């Protein structure tokens, strides 16, 4: 049976409203900055916030910046 994906109603009305609100972000991407510069700025603003969650492990921006040993383990997990 061939049914266009658009014909499937996979979200409730409440979920659709949430998606509409969340996707109305009109943020300009700072093309004048590299990903590295953006990351460093995020570390400066929110060093103790969670940057990565993988298989139950969490690493903050500060830990990720410092190259905490767990970061290498997470990188290896992501390569699988």
């Amino acid at each position: 049976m061939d049914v266009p994906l658009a014909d499937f109603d996979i979200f409730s009305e409440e979920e659709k409203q949430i998606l509409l609100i969340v996707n109305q972000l009109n943020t300009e991407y700072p093309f004048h900055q590299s990903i590295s510069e953006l990351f460093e700025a995020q570390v400066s603003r929110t060093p103790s916030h969670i940057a990565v969650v993988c298989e139950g492990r969490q690493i903050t921006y500060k830990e990720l910046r410092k190259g905490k040993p767990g970061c290498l383990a997470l990188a290896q997990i992501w390569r699988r």
Side-chain angles (χ1 to χ4, degrees), residues 1-71:
M1 177 164 126
D2 291 334
V3 178
L5 188 58
D7 289 349
F8 285 97
D9 197 16
I10 60 174
F11 296 109
S12 69
E13 286 304 314
E14 181 181 2
E15 290 169 325
K16 288 177 187 177
Q17 291 303 312
I18 291 169
L19 286 172
L20 288 173
I21 291 167
V22 170
N23 287 323
Q24 288 180 354
L25 301 175
N26 293 323
T27 303
E28 293 288 324
Y29 183 81
F31 288 102
H32 63 281
Q33 290 181 287
S34 68
I35 297 295
S36 297
E37 291 169 329
L38 293 170
F39 176 76
E40 291 298 332
Q42 187 67 41
V43 173
S44 295
R45 282 193 308 274
T46 59
S48 61
H49 287 195
I50 303 301
V52 178
V53 176
C54 181
E55 294 188 355
R57 293 191 237 174
Q58 298 179 347
I59 293 183
T60 64
Y61 284 101
K62 182 178 180 181
E63 293 169 331
L64 194 56
R65 171 65 180 93
K66 287 185 175 183
K68 182 180 175 186
C71 295

